[in-house]
Amino acid sequence: MSQADKMQERGTITPRAENYSQWYLDVIREADLAEPAEVVKGCMVIKPNGYSIWQQIQRDLDDRFKETGHKNAYFPMLIPMSFIEKEAEHVEGFSPELAVVTHAGGKKLEEPYVIRPTSETIIGYFFSKWIQSWRDLPLLINQWANVMRWELKTRMFLRTGEFLWQEGHTAHASHDEAMVEAQKMLGVYADFAEQVMAMPVVKGDKSETEKFAGAERSMTIEAMMQNGMALQSGTSHDLGQNFGRAFDVRFQNRDGELEYVWQTSWGVSTRLVGGLIMTHSDDSGLVLPPRLAPVHVVIVPIYRKAAQRAEVLGAAEKIAAELRAQTLYGRRLDVEVDDREEYKPGYKFYYWERRGVPLRLELGPRDMESRQVMARGRTGTFAEKQAWSWDGLSEKVLSMLEAMQGELLESARARREEMSVQVDDYDQFKSYYGEGRSRFSYAHWCGDAACEAKIKEDTKATIRCIPWEREEESGSCMVCGKPSKGRVLIAKAY
RNA sequence: CGGGGCGUAGCGCAGUCUGGUCAGCGCGCCUGCUUUGGGAGCAGGAUGUCGGAGGUUCAAAUCCUCUCGCCCCGACCA
């Protein structure tokens, strides 16, 4: 029986080609990452395996924010309703998805609280208390928090009622400085996505219609999922003085004049975990880049008799100890010895495979003789089983993991290239977005919201961003024919 | 929020049309023995308020009403 048939029989993972959405859910279930909260609409339970991936993400990003001079803080989850209403576009953008607390302590509240959908307003309020002088600037704050947006349609990790994220909020003395900050943080995200998640992204500006509610300018990193759809994976906003005005956040400049601060905000969320799944995983389950894998290496001992068992396990633990002393990208290797007696090796192979462990080492009686292990990587070059000597094993493991990290990025890049096109003819463009299909199209657009709306209307695809790295190229808008200075990225999006 | 689909054991499902030995199957789980280099075999065993609440009926997983949740497709969003 083929592996696919077996899986079918076990009802485990639907092949991607058959039903991509179902595959996504199957991978999450089989890797034990999360499950729907069931009793709480639109929310999810992030299980230990899923949460530890998020923690790896947090750890890496948090270090990066420290390097860029940001300090962590925490603001209340409840925000007075009136705060949200202070910035006109902000209210308009968020009011449909607010959850509101109207009663507490057994009494109706005088003023309802909203559960934060994002914290610009309450942070604006406190910034106004903390900032008096140009000497207080820049103020660089980050918050790790949960937020709630009452979504109509949810999908685990990609869009849930409550989600975990990080929101950076900064205040500056000049617009230029704020712009630099917002761009810099988008760069931090892009570098993180590519180097750590092995997920290539396109950096760019959001169109006017796709902008964050209350921002002057929104920037985004867009990643391509295996089905050609785009995932907005991180955003960074130049808030101008909009929240400064709304919350009276003023400082005295060097000339002694009172001026509103210039603010930014930027965030990434647990959505990244969804992006990770849909970038690398396959029909056998989860695939994790080593830099984010909660377990780097699993050692599966193989033995027949009790005497062998003691010997093999002894050697396995010794190897594990040696590996655990190694560091990969500044993190100790996490090594698991699967010494469960209830399961046979074959079962364990599949078990760790669908959980995305990058490297498996088998150690059995034959290997004891020849002082070697049988190594098999989760994907790529190392997916062919090969024998590695105990001598120099640590180096071998480290270099394999590094290579895999690189390969994942390369194959994600290659796939993206394959599914990207430059297109000038609108009919041809439309043909790319039939039922369930998507890709990255680069096309000329005049900048007019009407043409943008028409594209969406006709194809469900949207302008994901105006890429930063694009050639100046005069052309004519694919829709209306008016002049355009360059191509924009268009795709269906999650 | 509109259209469609689905909730039956941990997972995947049959049974619903045509109410009545329908509380069932596969995997998983438990016990024992034999096994262990890609999902072990045999024997025995446990597990369900059939998503929830009402109703119709002598009788409801099955019919009716309401409700909650999930999935897919749209409109809105990280």
Side-chain angles (χ1 to χ4, degrees), chain A residues 119-357:
Chain A
S119 305
E120 275 76 6
T121 56
I122 193 153
I123 289 179
Y125 176 84
F126 286 98
F127 274 16
S128 78
K129 292 180 61 174
W130 298 349
I131 297 168
Q132 278 101 42
S133 145
W134 62 271
R135 293 173 205 274
D136 298 322
L137 299 174
L139 182 54
L140 308 174
I141 296 293
N142 178 62
Q143 163 167 265
W144 289 97
N146 57 340
V147 287
M148 175 157 276
R149 299 181 185 178
W150 208 254
E151 300 287 350
L152 303 171
K153 179 180 174 4
T154 58
R155 213 190 275 266
M156 281 196 283
F157 289 113
L158 300 178
R159 175 168 299 105
T160 47
E162 180 187 12
F163 57 95
L164 306 181
W165 79 346
Q166 147 284 308
E167 46 181 325
H169 294 271
T170 68
H172 306 264
S174 76
H175 195 194
D176 279 354
E177 193 183 304
M179 293 255 278
V180 167
E181 169 80 5
Q183 288 173 29
K184 178 170 80 183
M185 296 320 288
L186 194 80
V188 168
Y189 289 156
D191 189 68
F192 169 80
E194 304 206 343
Q195 297 311 312
V196 179
M197 298 181 66
M199 182 175 79
V201 294
V202 178
K203 286 176 284 191
D205 274 50
K206 280 293 183 191
S207 69
E208 201 61 21
T209 45
E210 298 269 335
K211 230 174 45 180
F212 174 75
E216 288 289 303
R217 177 183 173 200
S218 286
M219 293 155 254
T220 177
I221 51 171
E222 298 284 328
M224 182 198 274
M225 304 295 101
Q226 290 174 14
N227 61 354
M229 284 176 72
L231 184 73
Q232 179 175 311
S233 307
T235 50
S236 184
H237 313 288
D238 166 17
L239 301 175
Q241 293 176 307
N242 294 343
F243 288 90
R245 270 192 289 271
F247 288 90
D248 198 35
V249 191
R250 287 190 289 179
F251 71 101
Q252 206 163 11
N253 65 23
R254 285 178 166 84
D255 301 324
E257 299 159 336
L258 278 180
E259 196 180 333
Y260 291 116
V261 296
W262 302 84
Q263 287 175 266
T264 78
S265 68
W266 28 274
V268 296
S269 71
T270 37
R271 167 178 266 197
L272 287 177
V273 178
L276 195 64
I277 295 165
M278 287 199 290
T279 300
H280 303 301
S281 299
D282 60 23
D283 290 348
S284 307
L286 189 65
V287 173
L288 291 172
R291 294 188 73 164
L292 288 177
V295 175
H296 294 108
V297 182
V298 62
I299 301 176
V300 178
I302 296 156
Y303 46 80
R304 285 183 213 289
K305 308 185 182 84
Q308 280 178 344
R309 175 171 186 274
E311 199 188 347
V312 169
L313 280 180
E317 286 299 347
K318 215 176 137 203
I319 291 170
E322 185 192 320
L323 291 176
R324 288 184 186 120
Q326 307 298 317
T327 52
L328 179 74
Y329 304 105
R331 182 183 144 211
R332 286 295 181 104
L333 280 189
D334 273 296
V335 182
E336 194 87 29
V337 177
D338 190 350
D339 59 358
R340 291 178 294 177
E341 291 203 63
E342 316 84 78
Y343 299 106
K344 290 179 61 176
Y347 175 89
K348 295 176 182 176
F349 297 165
Y350 285 104
Y351 178 88
W352 294 104
E353 200 161 286
R354 62 178 183 261
R355 290 168 120 81
V357 174

Side-chain angles (χ1 to χ4, degrees), chain A residues 444-447 473-477 480-486:
Chain A
H444 279 286
W445 171 56
C446 59
E473 176 192 279
S474 56
S476 51
C477 176
C480 70
K482 279 189 287 197
S484 146
K485 290 196 294 278

Side-chain angles (χ1 to χ4, degrees), chain A residues 9-27:
Chain A
E9 190 184 57
R10 283 155 207 274
T12 50
I13 299 176
T14 307
R16 283 163 292 183
E18 191 179 302
N19 184 339
Y20 195 78
S21 302
Q22 188 58 49
W23 166 81
Y24 176 73
L25 292 167
D26 291 345
V27 170

